[in-house]
């Protein structure tokens, strides 16, 4: 079992910034540095959407086109924490943001981009961007 706790959400004006954190804890037989982690978001009335992922080593990341150049995903394995730095926020970024931990450890450089790749989810943190 892996527990994930997000923090850092809030209300910000368009153009502003927020940094989300996701603290992971749980089974000691999980070597977290072997596992990717991901960020998803869900806006009202919409399906959950993949936003970004980072491999266990932190050396490879991927973000969706709509946030490219504005959002940066990173992690600190010594602190078992993943981050999402969000700059130049837009009203359409308004959503509940979730961090996720996958079912399987990293292999062959595969990026985990889909909801079904992930087994554990945090409770979410609300991000609201006003005009």
């Amino acid at each position: 079992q892996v527990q994930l706790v997000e923090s850092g959400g809030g209300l910000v004006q368009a153009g502003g910034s927020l940094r989300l954190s996701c603290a992971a804890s749980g089974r000691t037989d999980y070597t977290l540095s072997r596992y990717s982690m991901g960020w998803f978001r869900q806006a009202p009335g919409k399906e959950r959407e993949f936003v970004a992922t980072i491999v266990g080593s932190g050396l490879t990341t991927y973000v969706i086109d709509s946030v490219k150049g504005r959002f940066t995903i990173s992690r600190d394995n010594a602190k078992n924490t993943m981050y999402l730095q969000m700059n130049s926020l837009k009203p359409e970024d308004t959503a509940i943001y979730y961090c996720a931990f996958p079912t399987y450890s990293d292999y062959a450089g595969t990026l985990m981009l889909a909801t079904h790749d992930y087994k554990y989810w945090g409770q979410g943190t609300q991000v609201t961007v006003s005009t």
Side-chain angles (χ1 to χ4, degrees):
Q1 191 78 5
V2 175
Q3 290 79 43
L4 303 170
V5 178
E6 302 98 335
S7 61
L11 173 64
V12 63
Q13 288 188 331
S17 298
L18 286 172
R19 188 176 83 151
L20 305 184
S21 298
C22 172
S25 62
R27 287 174 52 177
T28 57
D29 53 341
Y30 277 119
T31 302
L32 295 181
S33 61
R34 296 179 183 173
Y35 290 81
S36 293
M37 293 181 72
W39 286 101
F40 289 74
R41 65 186 180 185
Q42 188 166 18
K46 295 187 177 182
E47 292 189 355
R48 191 168 297 190
E49 173 190 36
F50 166 79
V51 176
T53 187
I54 183 168
V55 299
S57 67
L59 296 179
T60 302
T61 64
Y62 180 87
V63 299
I64 58 175
D65 287 345
S66 61
V67 307
K68 196 166 292 183
R70 301 188 297 121
F71 290 13
T72 303
I73 185 172
S74 63
R75 66 191 291 164
D76 184 340
N77 287 334
K79 296 181 179 179
N80 291 340
T81 302
M82 175 180 66
Y83 305 96
L84 186 67
Q85 178 67 44
M86 306 186 295
N87 299 328
S88 302
L89 281 161
K90 304 176 180 180
E92 51 263 43
D93 295 319
T94 295
I96 300 174
Y97 282 71
Y98 299 90
C99 68
F101 188 90
T103 306
Y104 301 107
S105 59
D106 292 346
Y107 61 97
T110 301
L111 294 174
M112 301 188 188
L113 310 180
T115 305
H116 62 74
D117 289 326
Y118 293 87
K119 182 176 182 179
Y120 300 105
W121 296 83
Q123 82 289 350
T125 185
Q126 176 71 47
V127 171
T128 303
V129 185
S130 64
T131 55

